[in-house]
Amino acid sequence: MTQQPSGWYDDPSDPTMLRYWDGVTWTSHTAPRKSPTASQSTIGHADQAPTTPLPQGGWRAQSPQPGPPPQYPGDYPGAGQQNPYGGQNPYGGQYPVAPQSQAWMRGPVTADGVPLASWGKRFGAWLIDGLILAALSYFALQLFAPGYWDTVQQFVDLASTGDQTAVEGQIGKLTEESLKASIVTWLTITAYCVAFWTTTSQTPGKMVLRISVRRADRPGALDLATALRRRLLSLIQLIPFISGIYAVIWLLDGLWPLWDNQRQALHDKVGATQVVEGRQPRRPS
């Protein structure tokens, strides 16, 4: 991914002004254009920042170290030609006009310009976490629902004998133990996820793939309410009469980022979260 250098560029919304690009997104800092001539213009050069006082508290721009003008994909447009980012370039191709948005970045991004994680990375992280959770769930069931495995084995043994009456008598006990096991498993997975989401924003699987989860409207680790809301969809598996459709919901949930323009799974939409590239900033101490 090509990073746009920070500096002063043509304001996409007002051709008479300059606007400061911080390397990620447009800021609210603006200043009048210095000159309409190519020989005098500093537009497009990160090393020529205007010193006109800005409206936010009288802050003045600091000139960065000299360097070449930023590079953009494709050729620079010539004089009077339509450039690839919109508008006319009156300077004969002397500099590239700054993009009007972050469309020059590859792939979809969050509202503040952070690249979203691909479905492949999310799936890889899910596989790693799934292996860890399978082991944790097994030990949790042994500790909090020890009768589950015995009940399952008894049901299988009775079914193999062909004794229909005995099998029907075992169904009630199996249902009770299965519900208990489902609750223990859900709590185990929820504790695992919430613990990581609210601290580092990365489960071990996400750490390996270098992705993280955050709120859609701001960076940082999830708060407890958002983390729990992200787990609400999985509660369907515990609700009688409709738990049988959870397999379909689970499959749709996992595949949803493939066609969603924000790459959100269904549980992301419930929790108002997004999975992005990289780590999240730590909370201030």
Side-chain angles (χ1 to χ4, degrees), residues 18-89:
L18 302 180
R19 186 174 293 274
Y20 193 77
W21 175 269
D22 65 6
V24 175
T25 187
W26 294 110
T27 69
S28 60
H29 303 307
T30 59
R33 289 175 59 168
K34 283 289 186 180
S35 170
T37 63
S39 60
Q40 298 174 341
S41 174
T42 60
I43 302 172
H45 294 276
D47 57 318
Q48 300 290 334
T51 57
T52 304
L54 298 177
Q56 288 76 12
W59 176 84
R60 299 176 68 86
Q62 299 294 323
S63 298
Q65 293 298 318
Q71 300 298 311
Y72 290 83
D75 297 328
Y76 295 169
Q81 295 179 344
Q82 187 74 17
N83 68 55
Y85 304 107
Q88 297 291 322
N89 181 359

Side-chain angles (χ1 to χ4, degrees), residues 199 218-221 280-285:
T199 52
R218 67 167 185 255
Q280 292 303 302
R282 292 186 177 274
R283 294 174 178 172
S285 55

Side-chain angles (χ1 to χ4, degrees), residues 254-267:
L255 296 177
W256 205 269
L258 286 172
W259 55 77
D260 188 80
N261 59 1
Q262 292 300 312
R263 292 185 179 174
Q264 288 178 301
L266 295 179
H267 65 269

Side-chain angles (χ1 to χ4, degrees), residues 116-269:
L116 298 174
S118 67
W119 182 86
K121 283 192 174 183
R122 294 188 64 160
F123 181 71
W126 175 83
L127 287 177
I128 294 171
D129 289 326
L131 292 174
I132 297 173
L133 284 169
L136 290 177
S137 296
Y138 174 80
F139 289 115
L141 288 174
Q142 292 284 61
L143 185 61
F144 298 106
Y148 172 71
W149 300 112
D150 292 338
T151 303
V152 171
Q153 186 61 52
Q154 291 171 11
F155 184 83
V156 171
D157 292 342
L158 289 173
S160 64
T161 64
D163 188 343
Q164 190 65 25
T165 302
V167 169
E168 292 176 355
Q170 188 71 6
I171 289 178
K173 184 178 180 182
L174 179 63
T175 301
E176 180 183 345
E177 290 295 331
S178 295
L179 178 59
K180 185 187 299 184
S182 296
I183 294 173
V184 170
T185 302
W186 186 87
L187 290 173
T188 301
I189 296 173
T190 298
Y192 173 91
C193 292
V194 170
F196 286 110
W197 293 344
T198 57
T199 52
T200 63
S201 283
Q202 294 177 297
T203 56
K206 285 182 171 60
M207 291 178 190
V208 173
L209 276 296
R210 298 180 180 180
I211 58 179
S212 60
V213 61
R214 51 164 276 183
R215 283 183 48 155
D217 60 349
R218 67 167 185 255
L222 301 185
D223 55 273
L224 181 59
T226 301
L228 291 175
R229 193 165 62 245
R230 201 169 188 257
R231 286 287 298 158
L232 281 180
L233 190 65
S234 61
L235 275 175
I236 293 176
Q237 63 188 300
L238 304 181
I239 302 175
F241 307 113
I242 65 171
S243 59
I245 67 171
Y246 180 68
V248 176
I249 296 175
W250 177 82
L251 181 61
L252 281 175
D253 181 42
L255 296 177
W256 205 269
L258 286 172
W259 55 77
D260 188 80
N261 59 1
Q262 292 300 312
R263 292 185 179 174
Q264 288 178 301
L266 295 179
H267 65 269
D268 285 314
K269 294 187 178 297

